[in-house]
Amino acid sequence: SVRGLGAAHTVVSYDGLPVGAARQGETDLGRFDVDHLTSIALRVADDGRLLTPVRTLGAAVVELRSATPETAPRGLHGRASLTAAAFGTAAPALLLTLGASPRTTLTAAADFHYGRNDYPFRLRNGIIETKERRTNSRMQAWRAELGAAHRTRRGGTWRSKLYLYDSRRRLPGAVKLYTDDASERLAERQVFAQTAWRQMLGDGWQLMAAGKYATDRSRYTDRGDEWPGGALVQRYRSHEAYATAGAALHRGPWSTALAADYTFERLRSNLDGTRRVERHSWQPALSVRYAAGGFAATARLTGGIFVNRAAAGQTPARDARRLSPSLTMAWRPARGNLVLRTYYKELFRVATFTECYYYHYGSQDLRPETTRQLGAGLTWTLGTADSPFSLHLAADGYLNRVTDRITGIPVNLFVWQTFNMGRVRIGGADASLDATWRPARGHAIYLSAGYTLQRGADRTDPATASYGKQPAYMPVHSGSASLAWESPWFGLALHATAASARWATNEHVATTRLPGYAEAGAAIYRTLHVRRCRIDLRADLVNAFNAQYEIVRRYPMPGRAWKLSVAIGW
């Protein structure tokens, strides 16, 4: 969730294309192995890029880039790793890269993850505190990928990928006094295939086209005598076909781009009322950019048409359509290291399939959500990547006005309450710092820190108990920091994350207050070179001070833990 807007406004893109999230609206980043990624970046608001899939023009984008380079040395190269951690965790992984030709690279990757997750925690009952252990938390997941990247003779690129993820997990119930719920199971499988093409032409023209097909399956089971036949079984299967295309023209200080997305989605389930629902989405975007003399401005108009259909006897979600403008400006005075920026942006979000149709979660009566964002900020940079010392500072303030905010509050890991909040205001500020110091040859010290202040308030009805109060699960203060030292012998890293108190309900009932927390950890790592092989060794201490905290109410997080990993590359 970026700037209090909710995770559904943060798009995840994988090799340039959005990860399908029509069913849930949220993406589990655990589906991707960090060791098989070359970069992870968070992009907030517009950054001046014009020719991009329209679906990635949200409040923020998490950009994941896989280890499929457009060029690679000829021959077969690889990386094998093994991670072992506390609470019965084991995760082997393998990545193979083949330089098939000077312009073509093929990759294959696979990994497996298993964990018992039976971590201890403390349970308070009045003045009595007992030591308990998490139950029904075992899970296993495996993933496989095939990738191809090709650079054309005329400077274009073509990237394709086939992806499979399968998981089987037990769902731990909410911690309650005198009872231990341990009967829920969830099985999921996601498969997608995608291809994307980009080409630079003469006279300033640039073209882009891409397509994707994805299918998701899930099976939720809750065993108990209260259900007919001894179990509640819910099966969901969704299909998504996605296509995007666009063209851009660059002439002097002016650039113009036109892009359009089309998405077809279908959801089937074994439940009455949602046995078959469909959605057609058309999203065009027209962008104009002017950049000259240290000043740049980008204006964009994005449209959206969403048409919902359902089988006979079923009620579809509401259709919707809207035009959303945005304007971003940046100015670098006197060619210095300071950049000033401001922006206005509107977002329009329709409810996901989960929010509309899922059992004990969805409602077809949900209204689309409209967000108006206004913000300003600055960036100051000192030095370059090759300088002995470099510093990057950024700060932003913002005000968001949300109409018909789509809000989900979890009852447990699979049952939520979803509703519209009429009007919500969110104001806040972000600040970040990144610094690098190289005191001697072979030595480097890296410092990174970030802080967020968020004040949200329900402005719908003064007569309600939630009026003027911070929305559920939104901390006022949150932040993180990390400090790393790298030397010719080893590397050492320290890191911490903290958040202030939150509430599990919009009404701020006393029993739903979640205390603030701070979690810290450390890591030590070293790289060895043996002939043509590179060996990476790493040891992590997680939650070093054994902080006891909850992110979702009544679901305690793990305490102190350890992790060891070894990787061999050739």
Side-chain angles (χ1 to χ4, degrees), residues 491-514:
L492 179 65
L494 306 174
H495 54 85
T497 302
S500 63
R502 295 137 292 133
W503 299 86
T505 61
N506 293 330
E507 294 78 16
H508 291 196
V509 179
T511 57
T512 65
R513 184 180 184 272
L514 297 175

Side-chain angles (χ1 to χ4, degrees), residues 11 37 69 84 131 154 175 330 346 447 455 483 495 511 527 565:
V11 181
L37 299 176
K131 294 183 179 180
R154 297 183 178 182
V175 172
E346 292 187 8
L447 172 64
R455 289 284 187 180
L483 178 65
H495 54 85
T511 57
T527 299
S565 63

Side-chain angles (χ1 to χ4, degrees), residues 50-51 197-208 246-250 256-258:
L50 298 187
L51 196 57
W197 168 75
R198 285 183 175 269
Q199 180 70 55
M200 292 294 298
L201 302 177
D203 298 327
W205 283 96
Q206 183 182 8
L207 302 179
M208 176 267 294
L249 176 61
H250 308 280
T256 305
L258 177 63

Side-chain angles (χ1 to χ4, degrees), residues 80-340:
S81 64
L82 176 63
T83 300
F87 318 127
T89 300
L94 176 65
L95 170 65
L96 299 175
T97 302
L98 174 63
S101 74
R103 296 193 306 274
T104 303
T105 304
L106 305 177
T107 59
D111 59 79
F112 176 78
H113 182 98
Y114 173 85
R116 291 196 309 269
N117 302 316
D118 54 345
Y119 53 87
F121 66 96
R122 296 193 298 267
L123 177 62
R124 290 185 178 274
N125 181 11
I127 61 174
I128 301 176
E129 182 179 288
T130 59
K131 294 183 179 180
E132 309 288 341
R133 185 170 287 274
R134 212 68 171 108
T135 60
N136 201 53
S137 298
R138 190 178 67 197
M139 66 88 66
Q140 63 182 31
W142 64 276
R143 182 185 66 94
E145 283 189 27
L146 295 175
H150 177 70
R151 182 165 49 87
T152 66
R153 295 181 181 275
R154 297 183 178 182
T157 59
W158 200 307
R159 303 177 69 93
S160 300
K161 184 172 295 296
L162 177 63
Y163 173 97
L164 171 63
Y165 176 81
D166 186 282
S167 70
R168 301 287 188 273
R169 66 186 71 194
R170 299 180 179 182
L171 302 181
V175 172
K176 302 176 183 178
L177 297 175
Y178 316 118
T179 184
D180 188 7
D181 298 330
S183 58
E184 296 174 286
R185 306 286 190 273
L186 180 63
E188 294 181 299
R189 174 173 293 177
Q190 291 97 24
V191 181
F192 70 76
Q194 68 180 43
T195 184
W197 168 75
R198 285 183 175 269
Q199 180 70 55
M200 292 294 298
L201 302 177
D203 298 327
W205 283 96
Q206 183 182 8
L207 302 179
M208 176 267 294
K212 182 176 182 178
Y213 173 78
T215 178
D216 290 5
R217 294 184 180 184
S218 68
R219 174 190 170 98
Y220 168 79
T221 306
D222 184 8
R223 302 185 182 278
D225 295 335
E226 68 273 22
W227 304 113
L232 169 66
V233 180
Q234 300 173 19
R235 298 186 184 91
Y236 297 93
R237 182 173 183 179
S238 63
H239 301 267
E240 177 188 81
Y242 170 75
T244 182
L249 176 61
H250 308 280
R251 291 288 174 85
W254 292 94
S255 300
T256 305
L258 177 63
D261 288 10
Y262 168 75
T263 308
F264 171 76
E265 298 149 333
R266 174 183 294 166
L267 174 67
R268 293 183 175 181
S269 77
N270 64 329
L271 304 178
D272 293 334
T274 58
R275 292 191 179 276
R276 178 172 173 174
V277 293
E278 298 177 349
R279 174 179 293 166
H280 297 267
S281 305
W282 293 270
Q283 296 171 275
L286 175 63
S287 307
V288 178
R289 178 176 172 82
Y290 175 82
F295 173 80
T298 303
R300 179 175 284 123
L301 183 63
T302 304
I305 301 175
F306 305 90
V307 179
N308 295 281
R309 296 289 182 264
Q314 302 179 25
T315 303
R318 301 184 180 198
D319 295 342
R321 62 180 63 193
R322 186 178 175 85
L323 291 175
S324 303
S326 68
L327 176 63
T328 303
M329 294 184 290
W331 177 51
R332 183 191 299 272
R335 297 183 179 180
N337 297 326
L338 179 66
V339 177
L340 305 176

